[in-house]
Amino acid sequence: LRVRSATSYPTSIKQRITMPAMRLNARSKVNAPRRSPMAKAVAVTSIPAPPAKLAKVPLELEEPKEVPLNTWTSKKPLIVKVKSCERIVGPKATGETCHIVLETDNKAPFWEGQSYGVVPPGTKMNSKGKEVPHGVRLYSIASTRYGDYFDGKTASLCVRRATYWDPEMNKEDPAKKGICSNFLCDSKPGTEVTLTGPTGKILLLPEEDPNNVHIMCATGTGIAPFRTYLRRMFLEDVPNFRFGGLAWLFMGVANSDAKLYDDEFQVMSERFPDQFRIDYAISREQQNKDGGKMYIQDKIEEYSEEVFDLLKNGAHIYFCGLKGMLPGILDMLERVAKDQGLNWEEFYEGLKENNQLHVEVY
């Protein structure tokens, strides 16, 4: 059975669920949702800024009706070149995250929510002592099928440089750094990248109902697939997907310098105040209701009644990021469900059966 409830909604939320599909203009300020205070984050300067109007895109990329899967494999990869690689976090961020644009010339088409595989250069010794190529590393694609240039000829990745701090050495141990992430973050324009994929169906954006509600929960580079959703919803002119629903993003970061793509999200928030909502959990700068650090589950809990109401009425909810984020969120949701007199196990299973729950953690 579909999980339903005769819940009473504020007018603005009810309209988002029931009104016909439409795009609100940038001047619309009716019942604007609450948003967390924002500090200016690092913008991605190597790509075009969000266009003043919805971007025209090559709509032939909408024609394939079957999701593309494994067009390229480790045995038959696609060699592409880096167009740009840019650090996109501030100096106080915990670690380095880069936005990398790849020139694919539309030879590896994909849908929003999918991943590419990257095979780093070099070799390793396998368990049998044989020298073999490195294995494939998967990265969520961070641009829509049209790319950051809206022409379908590029695709972007959001990559955090993996390093290992050795407490005995009291410094980073280069022998234990992430091979692929460091290769990508060190890349320059023209660097060749061995690509596989696309792969994945779990986080494909459901587009059957353009008026639906999408609640996105991300930590770190888990923002990548949600950036693709939001750019498709609010920046691109796609006639067969006129988004008229509500997109609500919960984003967990350590500090304001670690925000990703916030410049784009602020543009979307200003232009579509009744359709896009963003709330940050900034663990080292905010406190939860108990006086502890503000993690993403704490921020979601602040709006738990509204989140549950939306889920009962068919909203989709997505989780993407480090797997350590999930237990805390699920524990919180279970606690809130019980406080509301709900059977959590039945409710959770209902979300899965109705394809409302989408989880990709790593």
Side-chain angles (χ1 to χ4, degrees):
L1 295 177
R2 191 171 184 84
V3 183
R4 289 282 181 181
S5 162
T7 305
S8 175
Y9 283 95
T11 302
S12 59
I13 298 296
K14 188 183 298 182
Q15 287 175 336
R16 291 175 190 131
I17 298 172
T18 60
M19 288 181 68
M22 63 179 181
R23 284 188 176 271
L24 305 183
N25 62 49
R27 298 178 182 177
S28 179
K29 297 294 182 183
V30 180
N31 291 319
R34 294 167 292 175
R35 290 182 289 273
S36 299
M38 302 298 173
K40 187 172 180 59
V42 176
V44 185
T45 60
S46 58
I47 63 173
K53 297 181 179 179
L54 296 180
K56 297 296 181 182
V57 293
L59 295 176
E60 59 268 21
L61 298 187
E62 299 290 319
E63 294 173 2
K65 302 304 178 185
E66 295 294 327
V67 57
L69 287 170
N70 299 313
T71 307
W72 304 96
T73 67
S74 56
K75 293 183 178 180
K76 184 186 175 184
L78 175 67
I79 307 301
V80 300
K81 290 185 178 181
V82 171
K83 183 178 181 69
S84 61
C85 175
E86 179 180 2
R87 178 188 169 105
I88 56 171
V89 291
K92 296 181 181 179
T94 53
E96 181 180 14
T97 301
C98 295
H99 183 80
I100 300 153
V101 181
L102 303 175
E103 297 177 325
T104 61
D105 291 325
N106 195 30
K107 294 178 180 178
F110 62 93
W111 288 4
E112 292 71 24
Q114 289 193 288
S115 299
Y116 277 147
V118 175
V119 182
T123 59
K124 64 178 181 178
M125 302 301 291
N126 67 12
S127 59
K128 298 180 180 180
K130 182 180 179 180
E131 187 175 2
V132 296
H134 288 297
V136 174
R137 273 71 162 178
L138 292 178
Y139 294 95
S140 296
I141 302 170
S143 60
T144 72
R145 68 191 73 183
Y146 300 107
D148 290 333
Y149 292 79
F150 306 106
D151 59 5
K153 295 181 179 180
T154 67
S156 300
L157 303 178
C158 179
V159 179
R160 177 175 169 135
R161 185 189 296 273
T163 58
Y164 174 77
W165 182 269
D166 189 316
E168 294 183 0
M169 298 170 57
N170 198 33
K171 63 178 182 179
E172 291 181 358
D173 184 351
K176 297 180 180 179
K177 67 181 183 181
I179 294 172
C180 195
S181 66
N182 279 269
F183 161 68
L184 289 171
C185 291
D186 287 336
S187 65
K188 309 293 182 186
T191 298
E192 289 191 342
V193 176
T194 302
L195 208 64
T196 69
T199 185
K201 290 185 176 181
I202 295 174
L203 286 187
L204 291 177
L205 177 63
E207 298 188 358
E208 298 83 5
D209 181 2
N211 296 321
N212 214 331
V213 176
H214 302 270
I215 304 169
M216 297 157 279
C217 310
T219 58
T221 57
I223 192 63
F226 305 143
R227 179 180 185 255
T228 75
Y229 298 178
L230 295 169
R231 288 176 69 90
R232 183 166 175 83
M233 291 171 177
F234 299 123
L235 296 185
E236 297 174 346
D237 187 4
V238 183
N240 55 287
F241 183 61
R242 297 293 193 194
F243 183 63
L246 169 67
W248 190 354
L249 173 63
F250 289 95
M251 179 67 184
V253 295
N255 56 39
S256 294
D257 273 23
K259 291 179 180 179
L260 302 173
Y261 308 112
D262 186 63
D263 58 315
E264 295 181 6
F265 298 151
Q266 294 311 305
V267 170
M268 297 173 191
S269 178
E270 292 170 4
R271 294 181 184 176
F272 300 94
D274 291 328
Q275 288 185 271
F276 178 49
R277 182 169 176 172
I278 181 168
D279 284 285
Y280 281 100
I282 309 178
S283 62
R284 300 187 182 184
E285 298 176 10
Q286 299 173 339
Q287 290 186 333
N288 61 25
K289 60 182 177 61
D290 298 319
K293 290 184 177 181
M294 176 71 77
Y295 294 111
I296 189 168
Q297 63 265 28
D298 303 312
K299 181 58 66 174
I300 298 171
E301 187 174 9
E302 290 184 359
Y303 305 99
S304 57
E305 183 175 348
E306 189 173 354
V307 167
F308 268 84
D309 285 347
L310 292 170
L311 291 173
K312 292 172 186 176
N313 283 267
H316 290 268
I317 189 165
Y318 311 79
F319 302 102
C320 189
L322 293 175
K323 61 183 178 181
M325 70 180 281
L326 198 56
I329 294 175
L330 293 180
D331 288 346
M332 178 274 296
L333 292 175
E334 180 177 5
R335 185 176 66 254
V336 171
K338 290 179 177 178
D339 289 345
Q340 294 187 9
L342 297 173
N343 183 311
W344 168 247
E345 289 74 19
E346 290 183 4
F347 187 82
Y348 186 70
E349 288 302 315
L351 294 177
K352 292 195 290 185
E353 290 175 7
N354 296 331
N355 196 33
Q356 293 174 248
L357 179 68
H358 314 266
V359 180
E360 189 169 274
V361 293
Y362 41 86

